[in-house]
Amino acid sequence: WIAGFTDGEGTLTLIRNSVSYSPLVTITQKVVAPLEWIHGHVGGAMRTVYRHRADGVHPYGRWELTGRVRVTAFLEVVLPHLRIKHRQGELLIEYCGTIRHGGKLWKPEPHRLRGIAGRPPVLTDEIRNRRNKIYAEIRVLNDSWQYRRSLH
């Protein structure tokens, strides 16, 4: 049920911040009761968002789930049942696998191993490039009407 709801009303994405990306799962709709049920069983956060339509501004409920551990746990359960957003789910799980303590999977540079205190090691180019490719692919999947149309 939650997988179908996620396919129909949800978004699986990465949001960009100043230095990296954060995994985000949302489900948005007018009827709040199902979202409150999901919130009660899965956790996350509930918000009210406003959408501008031709006939005015309408409030919608939005359930949000963030954080690599929570997003990964949720997606591992619903992924086998996702039809429309299956690829986005795979990509988010892969992205979350590149995150470790403090949101970074680090490869220390040699001079930092010599004891320069207070500086975090540098993210490897390989991981940074893969993250950027994941972000780009998710954007194409989420923004492409052609992709959505091909599923019907």
Side-chain angles (χ1 to χ4, degrees):
W1 177 81
I2 293 176
F5 209 61
T6 303
D7 263 340
E9 306 293 337
T11 301
L12 308 177
T13 194
L14 289 167
I15 53 174
R16 191 176 181 104
N17 60 38
S18 60
V19 294
S20 189
Y21 310 101
S22 298
L24 175 66
V25 176
T26 67
I27 301 174
T28 305
Q29 74 159 23
K30 280 187 176 183
V31 180
V32 176
L35 302 176
E36 290 173 341
W37 186 92
I38 294 169
H39 180 249
H41 286 82
V42 178
M46 286 290 300
R47 305 202 188 292
T48 300
V49 295
Y50 297 90
R51 293 197 173 161
H52 298 271
R53 301 284 186 211
D55 60 342
V57 178
H58 300 277
Y60 285 75
R62 175 181 286 167
W63 170 77
E64 298 179 352
L65 190 64
T66 60
R68 73 171 171 90
V69 174
R70 288 180 294 204
V71 167
T72 300
F74 175 76
L75 289 175
E76 285 176 346
V77 172
V78 300
L79 186 67
H81 309 287
L82 291 175
R83 297 189 63 204
I84 296 169
K85 296 182 171 84
H86 189 90
R87 181 64 183 147
Q88 290 95 319
E90 290 176 332
L91 290 167
L92 273 184
I93 289 172
E94 181 182 351
Y95 182 87
C96 289
T98 70
I99 303 172
R100 296 292 182 262
H101 178 70
K104 317 258 185 302
L105 183 61
W106 297 112
K107 177 182 176 188
E109 290 182 346
H111 74 276
R112 297 218 165 113
L113 292 175
R114 292 192 302 257
I116 297 177
R119 291 184 171 177
V122 174
L123 187 64
T124 67
D125 287 339
E126 178 184 357
I127 293 170
R128 181 179 290 113
N129 291 339
R130 183 60 195 140
R131 286 180 176 186
N132 290 336
K133 287 179 181 177
I134 290 171
Y135 175 75
E137 186 174 346
I138 286 176
R139 283 198 49 140
V140 166
L141 291 171
N142 287 342
D143 293 343
S144 173
W145 67 269
Q146 294 165 337
Y147 171 75
R148 289 190 297 273
R149 186 174 174 182
S150 73
L151 296 170
H152 294 96

